[in-house]
């Protein structure tokens, strides 16, 4: 795996995004699934950047954005990448925290979304809610945010996870599915809830 860095230093934009590329070892440059995975990871990050902050030259407002990726899985089956960082537009009262994840099935070269893996039905929403309550039992702010979310609103957020417009993301780590949903800045801009894979088996898409 090789790291690449995308940079912009024009029109007041100071942007640096570090991201991984599958290369060498078991990964052949001629393997179409590997090529597709590398393209999906970068295209997702670039599309997110343009959706969130516009394309280069689209604004003269000074922007600083630094993002760094972590590879959670890279084998002959999956490529899972989580990218986090902070962006600040001059004049705004505070910077914003960001998380973007990408999951690719190397057998097919296709991106995987939460709704591709699991049926996001009412019982799934309750599993998410119960797990969040357990993890946030000492966090009054996040518990209040969770209580404000209706079941239907949570279901919509979960169904649209891994879509750039929704701002929700998911990934697997340490035998858990971690779900990140957008929230107010006072709570960190996004929340994460880790649900054991065993708790989600009954919702798995066949």
């Amino acid at each position: 795996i090789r790291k690449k860095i995308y940079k912009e230093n024009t029109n007041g934009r100071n942007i640096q995004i570090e991201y991984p590329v599958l290369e060498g070892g078991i990964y052949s440059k001629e393997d179409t699934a590997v090529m597709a995975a590398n393209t999906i990871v970068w295209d997702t990050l670039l599309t997110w950047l343009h959706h969130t902050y516009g394309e280069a030259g689209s604004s003269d407002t000074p922007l600083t954005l630094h993002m760094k990726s972590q590879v959670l899985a890279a084998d002959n089956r999956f490529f899972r990448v989580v990218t986090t960082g902070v962006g600040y537009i001059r004049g705004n009262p505070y910077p914003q925290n960001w998380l973007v994840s990408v999951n690719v099935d190397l057998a097919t070269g296709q991106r995987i979304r939460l709704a591709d893996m699991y049926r996001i039905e009412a019982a799934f929403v309750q599993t998410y809610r119960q797990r969040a309550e357990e993890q946030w039992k000492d966090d009054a702010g996040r518990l209040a945010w969770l209580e404000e979310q209706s079941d239907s609103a949570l279901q919509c957020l979960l169904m649209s996870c891994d879509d750039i417009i929704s701002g929700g993301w998911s990934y697997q780590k340490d035998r858990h599915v971690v779900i990140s949903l957008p929230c107010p800045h006072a709570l960190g801009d996004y929340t994460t809830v880790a649900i054991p894979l065993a708790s989600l088996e009954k919702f798995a898409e066949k």
Side-chain angles (χ1 to χ4, degrees), residues 98-201:
W98 297 108
L99 181 150
V100 179
S101 66
V102 187
N103 306 283
V104 183
D105 185 337
L106 291 177
T108 63
Q110 298 293 314
R111 186 173 166 204
I112 309 168
R113 295 172 171 81
L114 184 66
D116 297 329
M117 299 293 293
Y118 300 105
R119 299 185 305 279
I120 313 299
E121 54 195 37
F124 187 104
V125 175
Q126 292 309 310
T127 298
Y128 171 88
R129 191 182 288 279
Q130 291 164 11
R131 187 67 179 175
E133 289 172 348
E134 292 172 7
Q135 290 182 25
W136 302 340
K137 62 181 185 297
D138 298 321
D139 191 328
R142 280 183 167 77
L143 287 175
W145 173 84
L146 182 66
E147 188 174 347
E148 292 171 358
Q149 311 306 311
S150 68
D151 287 346
S152 59
L154 271 181
Q155 187 173 25
C156 287
L157 284 171
L158 293 168
M159 288 182 68
S160 60
C161 258
D162 306 300
D163 178 274
I164 288 164
I165 296 176
S166 77
W169 305 93
S170 70
Y171 54 94
Q172 285 188 24
K173 183 179 182 182
D174 300 330
R175 302 295 298 168
H176 288 70
V177 172
V178 181
I179 299 174
S180 168
L181 297 180
C183 68
H185 176 72
L187 300 179
D189 296 316
Y190 61 84
T191 64
T192 56
V193 173
I195 307 175
L197 288 172
S199 299
L200 298 178
E201 286 179 352

Side-chain angles (χ1 to χ4, degrees), residues 30 40 57 59 66 68 72 74 87 90 95-96 110 114 164 203:
E30 283 71 43
I40 288 169
S59 173
H66 289 174
K68 190 172 184 178
L72 300 181
R90 185 183 297 175
Q96 285 184 284
Q110 298 293 314
L114 184 66
I164 288 164
F203 305 114

Side-chain angles (χ1 to χ4, degrees), residues 14 18 30 34-35 38 41 46 55 67-68 72 79 84 94 96 117 132 165 172 180 191:
N14 176 11
E18 178 189 288
E30 283 71 43
V34 169
M35 293 171 60
N38 287 332
V41 168
L46 187 62
E55 298 185 28
M67 304 280 285
K68 190 172 184 178
L72 300 181
F79 188 30
T84 56
Y94 47 75
Q96 285 184 284
M117 299 293 293
I165 296 176
Q172 285 188 24
S180 168
T191 64

